[in-house]
Amino acid sequence: MSIFSDKYGQISAILGGQWGDEGKGKLVDIMSEDYDYIVRANGGANAGHTVYVPNTTNPDEPATKYVFHLMPSGILHPGKVCVIGNGCVLHVPTLFEELEMLRKHDINTAGRLIISDRTHLLFEYHLLIDALQEESRGKSKIGTTKRGIGPCYMDKVARRGIRAGELLDFPAFANHFRENVQMLRKAYGQFDYSVEQEIERYREYAKILGPMMKDTSLLLHKAQKERKKILLEGANGLMLDIDHGSYPYVTSSSTAMGGMLCGAGFPPQKVQSVIGILKAYTTRVGGGPFPTELTDRLGDEIRERGGEYGATTNRPRRCGWFDVPVARYSVRLNGFSSINLTKLDVLTGIPTLRIGVRYFHKGQELDSFPGSPAVFAELEVEYIEMEGWKEDISQIDSFRALPETCKRYIQKIENLIECPIEVIGVGKERNKLIRRF
C-alpha cells in the first residue's frame, strides 16, 4: 500500500519552511517506503536530519537514533536508491563516517548511493577558511557551523571549485588542488595544512567514489520516464536561503524550491507535490533576527522538552512562538501544497499559547518578511493567544482524538497561513504521526 505516493504523486519534494531543524528527516524517512529514489539537492554536512527507528522486537527499548548530515534519509529502507545531487557540497570523510555507521547497524548500502559527478568537493582547507572568516567578523559573527560550507560555495561561484568528477582524472585533480591551496594561502596567510597528505587521502577516496558517480540529472530523468517514484529532500530551511532568507544570517546555498530543482537537475513541471515542514513553534541556531523569540524561562523549557540542540553542532537552539509571517512567506515562495506540522507534543502543558500573526515597523503593518536588517532592529510583533492543552497526545494517531484546544490551535495556524496541514508530528519516532487523509 503506497499511502503517501498515492496522495502526493510520483514526484514529491519536502522542504523546511522556517530556519531549519523542523523535522524533515522524519517525514523523508517515512515517505521513503513509498518512493524509489530519494535525492538530497542542496547544502552539505551543515545539515542534520535525525531519524528515530522504534525497536520492533522490544518496544520498551529506546528507539535507535540516526543522524544524517549528507546521506539522504531514505537510506534506512532496503532497496531505495539515494542520490547526492549536483547542488550539494560533499565532505567525503563525513560521508564515509555515515556509511560506516550504517554498516555497524547492518544496513546494506551497496549500489544504493549515487553521487553526482558535478557535486563540489569540500576539503579540510574549507573548514580552516570558514573558521578564519568567522573569527575575523568579531562581534558580527554569523554563527556558522564552521563546516566549510560558505568557503566551498565561494569556490564554486568563483569558478575555481573542484567537482567530484575531477577525481576520475587524478593527476589533473591533484594539480587543481595544489593551485587552490596556493591561492588561498596568498589570501589568508600560510595556514597549517598538509597538501600532499590530503592529495594521497583523495587518491584512496577516488577508488571508492568512482563507481558511485553518475550524471544524476540524467539518472533521474530516466527514472521519471520509467515511472519510478522520486522524493526530493531539502536541507536547512527557507529562512536560511541565500537569496530569500534572513540575510546575512543564512547558509550559502539556495534552500527554496527553486534551488532544490536546480540542485537536483530536475524540471519544475514534473513535481506534483511540495510538502512544507513547520514546527508547531519556531527555532533557530546561531545569530540573526528571530522576531518571536522567547528569552525567558519558557523558552528554556521548550528547548529542553523538544531536545532543541543542533544535530550538527549540539548548540542550543533559540526557541519562540509560531511565526505566521515567516510561514506565509515560505508557503508563497515555495508553493507548498500542504504542511507537516511537527513537534506538537512539545507544547503540551503550556496553559496559554501565543502565535505571532503580524509584523509592524514604526506603526505600519508589513505585508511580507522584511529584507532590511535595520527594519528587524525595530520590528514589533502582534500576537494572539490560545488556550493550551494538558492531555498527553504522544499516543494519539487520529486528528479526531486530539484535545479540542489542540485541534483549534492546528486549525488556527492552518487558516492563518492559508495552507492545509495534512500531517502532524506528536513524537520523535517514525510512528508518532497523525495523517489527515
Side-chain angles (χ1 to χ4, degrees):
M1 186 166 60
S2 302
I3 296 171
F4 286 99
S5 59
D6 287 348
K7 169 67 177 176
Y8 294 123
Q10 181 195 358
I11 319 288
S12 298
I14 293 174
L15 287 88
Q18 295 159 318
W19 276 279
D21 309 309
E22 302 94 349
K24 296 176 290 294
K26 176 180 174 180
L27 188 64
V28 172
D29 167 62
I30 293 166
M31 286 182 58
S32 293
E33 191 170 358
D34 288 1
Y35 286 78
D36 303 300
Y37 290 78
I38 298 87
V39 185
R40 265 286 302 273
N42 72 287
N46 57 335
H49 293 184
T50 306
V51 176
Y52 290 89
V53 179
N55 189 321
T56 54
T57 56
N58 189 351
D60 294 330
E61 290 293 315
T64 302
K65 178 181 178 180
Y66 297 89
V67 179
F68 299 117
H69 301 288
L70 286 165
M71 187 72 68
S73 301
I75 197 69
L76 298 175
H77 295 271
K80 308 302 178 179
V81 178
C82 291
V83 176
I84 295 176
N86 57 274
C88 297
V89 289
L90 178 62
H91 184 240
V92 178
T94 297
L95 179 67
F96 285 178
E97 287 172 9
E98 294 182 12
L99 287 168
E100 176 61 16
M101 177 264 292
L102 291 165
R103 187 193 65 78
K104 288 180 178 178
H105 284 91
D106 296 320
I107 295 169
N108 182 12
T109 62
R112 297 203 295 124
L113 177 62
I114 308 296
I115 299 169
S116 171
D117 56 4
R118 292 157 174 80
T119 299
H120 278 250
L121 296 176
L122 190 154
F123 301 103
E124 301 308 309
Y125 64 69
H126 289 121
L127 279 72
L128 293 170
I129 299 304
D130 201 357
L132 290 170
Q133 288 179 343
E134 184 74 345
E135 288 305 313
S136 72
R137 294 186 178 101
K139 293 182 180 179
S140 301
K141 289 181 173 62
I142 290 174
T144 171
T145 60
K146 298 182 182 178
R147 291 293 185 108
I149 308 301
C152 189
Y153 277 112
M154 283 174 61
D155 280 357
K156 176 178 180 176
V157 174
R159 294 165 293 180
R160 60 173 175 256
I162 300 176
R163 304 202 292 186
E166 292 190 46
L167 290 170
L168 303 178
D169 181 355
F170 200 81
F173 161 83
N175 287 336
H176 192 172
F177 187 91
R178 293 185 187 101
E179 289 169 2
N180 275 9
V181 175
Q182 184 179 20
M183 184 208 60
L184 289 167
R185 279 178 166 160
K186 288 179 181 178
Y188 294 97
Q190 293 297 314
F191 51 84
D192 186 24
Y193 188 66
S194 179
V195 174
E196 297 307 316
Q197 282 186 14
E198 185 84 332
I199 288 172
E200 287 308 306
R201 272 196 292 271
Y202 272 84
R203 190 186 301 277
E204 296 305 310
Y205 293 164
K207 297 173 185 176
I208 302 169
L209 293 174
M212 298 180 183
M213 280 191 265
K214 289 185 180 179
D215 177 347
T216 53
S217 177
L218 180 61
L219 174 79
L220 295 174
H221 172 74
K222 290 180 177 178
Q224 182 266 327
K225 297 282 281 185
E226 294 168 1
R227 301 299 302 167
K228 300 294 185 183
K229 298 172 185 175
I230 300 169
L231 183 61
L232 306 177
E233 176 180 4
N236 313 121
L238 178 79
M239 301 312 298
L240 295 175
D241 184 270
I242 187 67
D243 290 301
H244 300 290
S246 52
Y247 190 89
Y249 299 94
V250 294
T251 190
S252 300
S253 64
S254 179
T255 62
M257 187 61 203
M260 170 159 321
L261 293 168
C262 184
F266 208 77
Q269 68 271 25
K270 301 296 183 185
V271 179
Q272 287 137 324
S273 297
V274 182
I275 305 161
I277 312 295
L278 298 172
K279 267 182 188 160
Y281 49 99
T282 310
T283 64
R284 79 168 299 171
V285 173
F290 188 173
T292 62
E293 183 173 12
L294 285 162
T295 57
D296 55 9
R297 185 180 298 175
L298 180 56
D300 294 337
E301 185 180 333
I302 291 173
R303 180 186 304 116
E304 296 306 315
R305 286 185 184 191
E308 297 294 354
Y309 292 87
T312 298
T313 62
N314 204 37
R315 289 181 295 176
R317 295 175 185 143
R318 299 154 62 191
C319 299
W321 298 117
F322 189 89
D323 188 319
V324 169
V326 162
R328 285 175 62 92
Y329 181 65
S330 194
V331 168
R332 173 168 62 85
L333 280 171
N334 289 310
F336 290 150
S337 47
S338 67
I339 297 296
N340 171 198
L341 190 70
T342 65
K343 305 189 84 164
L344 186 65
D345 56 300
V346 173
L347 299 180
T348 297
I350 300 175
T352 303
L353 301 172
R354 304 183 83 198
I355 300 173
V357 293
R358 278 189 282 272
Y359 292 164
F360 288 86
H361 179 245
K362 296 183 177 179
Q364 297 294 314
E365 183 178 351
L366 302 181
D367 57 6
S368 184
F369 193 84
S372 167
V375 172
F376 271 116
E378 302 173 326
L379 198 66
E380 294 180 356
V381 181
E382 178 185 307
Y383 291 93
I384 59 171
E385 293 187 346
M386 301 197 69
E387 184 182 353
W389 58 91
K390 297 179 181 178
E391 299 89 338
D392 177 15
I393 63 172
S394 63
Q395 304 303 317
I396 292 176
D397 60 4
S398 72
F399 184 77
R400 182 180 299 176
L402 288 170
E404 287 301 316
T405 51
C406 184
K407 286 190 278 192
R408 284 198 289 271
Y409 182 76
I410 296 165
Q411 290 163 339
K412 174 60 73 173
I413 289 174
E414 189 174 53
N415 291 335
L416 288 167
I417 68 174
E418 298 179 352
C419 190
I421 295 172
E422 295 184 341
V423 181
I424 301 159
V426 292
K428 61 187 181 181
E429 293 89 355
R430 61 161 59 141
N431 59 334
K432 302 286 186 177
L433 203 73
I434 295 172
R435 289 186 292 105
R436 296 175 75 188
F437 58 87

